[in-house]
Amino acid sequence: MTSALSITHAANPPRAAFLDFPLGHTTGKPHDPEGQRAILRAALAGFETIRAPGDIVMLPFTWSDDDSWKETAMRARATGSGDAGSVLDERTERHDTPQYQCERDRELAERAQREGGCPTCVWLE
């Protein structure tokens, strides 16, 4: 699944499902489990409908009634003061250590690493 069509074309995966939603929302809107399930089902249907390597199925869902969200997506917002520091960065703070949803997730990841690793935890040492 992807929300970056040009990057997906360049990467040329064997098959892909494109959702024209803001980056970070590839499986749907927050707090919309019904919509998320519908998107996931449509993407998985690509396994049955995509016939040629590199094909990308365009999912029929929309983020809003119009495309005005694209004008501000992924852009910093000015605070209005006009000086060099007037850009408000609302991105989530990044960490150089793993962050877990809960303590149990941390325990499971650490145990998997002790027991020979986990293919999705390659960044853990």
Side-chain angles (χ1 to χ4, degrees):
M1 291 184 64
T2 181
S3 288
L5 187 58
S6 61
I7 293 171
T8 304
H9 277 296
N12 195 26
R15 66 190 54 79
F18 172 73
L19 182 65
D20 196 13
F21 275 26
L23 296 178
H25 298 281
T26 307
T27 56
K29 296 178 181 180
H31 314 293
D32 180 17
E34 288 180 29
Q36 293 165 0
R37 278 190 288 276
I39 289 167
L40 185 55
R41 285 185 182 111
L44 290 172
F47 285 116
E48 297 174 349
T49 60
I50 295 175
R51 298 290 177 227
D55 277 357
I56 300 172
V57 64
M58 306 302 220
L59 300 180
F61 303 92
T62 57
W63 180 256
S64 62
D65 292 335
D66 61 30
D67 285 343
S68 62
W69 64 268
K70 294 179 183 181
E71 296 170 15
T72 57
M74 301 301 289
R75 292 191 187 138
R77 193 177 63 187
T79 61
S81 66
D83 62 19
S86 68
V87 174
L88 179 61
D89 187 348
E90 294 179 327
R91 294 176 291 181
T92 302
E93 179 184 354
R94 301 297 181 212
H95 303 275
D96 54 359
T97 57
Q99 304 297 300
Y100 301 98
Q101 295 283 337
C102 63
E103 183 62 19
R104 181 76 175 134
D105 286 346
R106 183 190 62 76
E107 292 167 358
L108 291 170
E110 289 176 354
R111 185 178 76 199
Q113 194 63 27
R114 281 192 309 272
E115 295 174 356
C118 161
T120 59
C121 301
V122 295
W123 41 266
L124 286 176
E125 293 184 15

